[in-house]
Amino acid sequence: MTNYQFPEKFWWGSAASGPQTEGRVAGDGKGDNIFDYWFAKEPEKFFDQVGPEKTSQVYTKYQEDVQLMKQTGHNSFRTSIQWSRLIPDETGEINQQAVDFYNRYFNELLENDIEPFVNLYHFDMPMYLQKKGGWLNRETVDAYERYAKICFELFGSKVKKWFTHNEPIVPVEAGYLYRWHYPEESDMKMAVQVGYHEALSSALAIKAYHEQKQDGQIGIILNLTPSYPRDEENSADVQAAKIADAFFNRSFLDPAVKGEFPQELIAIVKELDILPEIKDEDLTIIKENTVDLLGINYYQPRRVKAKETEKIRSGAPMPEDYFDNYKMPGRKMNPYRGWEIYEKGIYDILINVRDNYGNIDCFISENGMGVENEARFIQSDGMIHDDYRIEFVQDHLKYVHQAIQEGANCLGYHMWTCMDNWSWTNAYKNRYGFISVNLEDGKRTIKKSGHWFKEVSQQNGFSV
Ligand code: BGP
């Protein structure tokens, strides 16, 4: 038997987001964001036509949910403030009901010894800003800076861990390259501008937080997908993996932690003549306002090979002009989500952060496994026996443990997610939670993994 013991005060918990959990209640004063708008317009784009208003209704059930968090061993929990709830329309006025809700929610967590980690932006652009271009428009950066300042002023006395963005590459990829999310564009020039504005907005929020002399930490949450070349010995494959890494990881990791964009990416953007619009002081702001803390979301690796066909430049440029994705034979898959499961990736990321990013304070801010039709695993005790999830978490935690042993500065592990929640266009297709949610009546039931996680948290580790 090996004992995997974690450092004292390790953060055990889970992550969720406002738009995926809160739901909407008539008269709550929330404005539309891009998902509310898109669902109303094209519900057929969402699995089973389930929209964002039908989420797990944390807005009204948060007290019950905080008790469930306790019962599943949480000492910390991340959610996000919905910008479109706090500042619902273009007048910029603050919705007092939103202020009251977030105060009640955060207080409830604190009273139950669960530290709230709060993120400001989780893909949920308010519609009044999207109508003017969203992240394409510099005005959105200004509006976000104001929103961030308001959040720190309102909730800074109780929230001591802040995050400027969750996975800022996703709005770039999903909204402006691959058409997975609204506004379903595919245009690299737009993608570059969107990403640039997000990175700048993050630095501006960090600047504001520090200027307010708040006494917590502020960071960013990035989904890091380590890029592995098909063949380590093949220099063209290695080079292709390096470019993919620059596009999808270092594009945000470098400015967030080092205050500068990767040279490889700058060279490509210059060559394509799609540099974003930059104001004089911007790069100094990015340089001087880096994160205190890094959240790492890890789900899957990226496997890459050198391009097998010549770059075709007749079409619009895409990241895939520089590499081909590689399907490694024999890879282990989560068939429901279509993502490869590669546990060692989490270790490789932590070691990379240790060696190349100053071993900054970091934690695993998301990791998890979405599975379809979990009802088939209900046993006579009425509980979902999700042994596969326990195995998944355990196998990843072993590598987190190893990285910590080797000096990585990883302070916690948050699972995606606490209770089954709404997964964007996949809606409730795949379930991720420690706690199941019955969509008919909202009933919550702790899964086997939730009980297991409580023991891990209590023992600050596990033995296998
Ligand atoms: C991350 C997001 C989450 C969550 C999770 C699971 O990328 O931060 O919001 O949704 O992935 O992915 P999905 O919901 O697409 O299955």
Side-chain angles (χ1 to χ4, degrees):
M1 270 243 209
T2 311
N3 185 17
Y4 297 90
Q5 202 60 30
F6 285 80
E8 262 178 60
K9 301 205 172 119
F10 202 67
W11 304 328
W12 296 106
S14 65
S17 76
Q20 292 175 275
T21 57
E22 287 170 12
R24 290 181 90 160
V25 169
D28 63 7
K30 184 181 140 21
D32 280 351
N33 63 33
I34 48 176
F35 284 93
D36 300 311
Y37 173 85
W38 193 28
F39 178 74
K41 213 172 119 212
E42 294 179 288
E44 65 284 354
K45 294 211 162 141
F46 296 77
F47 185 78
D48 273 352
Q49 304 210 14
V50 175
E53 81 289 359
K54 286 224 186 70
T55 61
S56 28
Q57 303 295 336
V58 167
Y59 191 72
T60 49
K61 290 181 188 274
Y62 67 93
Q63 285 163 306
E64 180 186 346
D65 292 348
V66 170
Q67 289 313 308
L68 288 162
M69 287 177 204
K70 276 198 88 165
Q71 290 168 35
T72 47
H74 286 62
N75 61 22
S76 45
F77 169 71
R78 167 168 61 106
T79 187
S80 68
I81 291 172
Q82 288 200 73
W83 190 352
S84 58
R85 184 182 292 287
L86 194 69
I87 307 175
D89 61 38
E90 55 273 23
T91 64
E93 271 171 42
I94 297 171
N95 172 13
Q96 190 54 41
Q97 292 185 80
V99 179
D100 295 344
F101 164 64
Y102 290 117
N103 270 320
R104 287 195 305 268
Y105 193 7
F106 301 154
N107 283 338
E108 192 72 20
L109 287 160
L110 288 165
E111 282 159 18
N112 285 282
D113 299 320
I114 299 172
E115 183 175 358
F117 288 23
V118 175
N119 171 39
L120 295 174
Y121 189 81
H122 202 124
F123 316 164
D124 53 336
M125 180 60 67
M127 205 51 213
Y128 58 92
L129 291 168
Q130 187 65 40
K131 283 192 177 138
K132 296 202 275 176
W135 287 118
L136 286 170
N137 185 343
R138 179 86 185 203
E139 279 177 39
T140 297
V141 178
D142 301 336
Y144 172 90
E145 186 185 3
R146 172 177 180 265
Y147 157 65
K149 284 182 181 164
I150 290 171
C151 289
F152 305 148
E153 279 156 16
L154 285 169
F155 310 112
S157 62
K158 41 188 97 169
V159 175
K160 303 293 174 190
K161 304 276 189 306
W162 288 94
F163 300 93
T164 58
H165 288 262
N166 174 81
E167 304 188 348
I169 193 78
V170 170
V172 175
E173 291 175 317
Y176 295 90
L177 284 176
Y178 305 110
R179 300 195 163 114
W180 300 326
H181 291 172
Y182 191 79
E184 299 179 277
E185 298 282 1
S186 181
D187 180 323
M188 199 132 117
K189 185 170 169 56
M190 286 184 178
V192 168
Q193 187 69 60
V194 164
Y196 174 73
H197 277 157
E198 285 186 293
L200 175 64
S201 73
S202 176
L204 284 164
I206 293 169
K207 182 166 183 277
Y209 186 74
H210 291 143
E211 279 173 2
Q212 284 186 18
K213 305 247 177 297
Q214 296 275 359
D215 58 351
Q217 284 183 299
I218 183 159
I220 195 164
I221 288 167
L222 302 179
N223 51 322
L224 298 180
T225 47
S227 288
Y228 298 105
R230 166 182 56 184
D231 178 358
E232 295 274 1
E233 307 294 314
N234 175 334
S235 62
D237 283 356
V238 171
Q239 181 56 18
K242 206 168 164 204
I243 299 280
D245 187 48
F247 268 112
F248 297 105
N249 298 318
R250 296 179 56 210
S251 47
F252 286 100
L253 182 59
D254 284 18
V257 180
K258 298 181 173 172
E260 54 197 34
F261 293 97
Q263 285 307 326
E264 294 89 334
L265 209 53
I266 296 175
I268 290 174
V269 164
K270 275 190 178 157
E271 192 213 334
L272 295 172
D273 197 18
I274 53 170
L275 272 172
E277 282 171 36
I278 301 177
K279 283 196 190 172
D280 287 348
E281 69 280 18
D282 290 0
L283 296 179
T284 313
I285 292 169
I286 292 171
K287 183 76 205 166
E288 290 175 355
N289 295 283
T290 55
V291 294
D292 306 330
L293 173 66
L294 175 67
I296 298 164
N297 293 355
Y298 175 63
Y299 289 92
Q300 56 171 341
R302 180 184 293 273
R303 302 205 183 266
V304 167
K305 61 186 177 186
K307 274 214 88 63
E308 287 178 345
T309 48
E310 274 298 292
K311 265 194 277 194
I312 303 166
R313 271 294 159 70
S314 54
M318 287 295 273
E320 286 74 8
D321 292 344
Y322 300 87
F323 60 86
D324 276 348
N325 288 306
Y326 170 58
K327 282 191 186 153
M328 185 179 75
R331 64 196 177 143
K332 176 157 79 169
M333 292 294 291
N334 168 357
Y336 314 102
R337 190 60 180 84
W339 285 346
E340 181 182 341
I341 299 175
Y342 181 63
E343 299 85 351
K344 182 171 173 284
I346 210 165
Y347 166 87
D348 291 339
I349 295 171
L350 289 171
I351 296 300
N352 181 33
V353 170
R354 182 195 70 183
D355 293 347
N356 300 313
Y357 293 87
N359 209 9
I360 186 171
D361 278 4
C362 69
F363 73 114
I364 301 302
S365 42
E366 285 183 32
N367 177 226
M369 189 186 184
V371 172
E372 211 165 338
N373 186 17
E374 287 198 309
R376 69 200 139 122
F377 302 111
I378 297 180
Q379 293 190 7
S380 52
D381 55 6
M383 186 168 76
I384 292 173
H385 285 242
D386 52 345
D387 296 86
Y388 43 86
R389 182 166 289 111
I390 296 174
E391 192 182 306
F392 178 98
V393 176
Q394 201 164 264
D395 289 348
H396 283 82
L397 278 173
K398 286 181 190 169
Y399 276 113
V400 172
H401 184 266
Q402 188 183 331
I404 295 172
Q405 296 295 104
E406 294 174 19
N409 197 9
C410 175
L411 306 173
Y413 177 90
H414 279 184
M415 171 80 167
W416 184 269
T417 181
C418 180
M419 56 196 62
D420 293 343
N421 68 29
W422 184 78
S423 276
W424 317 110
T425 53
N426 272 339
Y428 279 88
K429 174 178 167 292
N430 303 316
R431 305 297 183 100
Y432 282 88
F434 282 136
I435 299 157
S436 69
V437 175
N438 181 326
L439 281 195
E440 302 302 313
D441 57 10
K443 190 171 179 294
R444 279 86 160 117
T445 314
I446 298 178
K447 301 178 194 174
K448 189 174 171 187
S449 59
H451 293 290
W452 171 82
F453 196 69
K454 181 173 191 192
E455 279 177 37
V456 174
S457 159
Q458 277 176 339
Q459 293 165 15
N460 205 29
F462 57 93
S463 298
V464 275

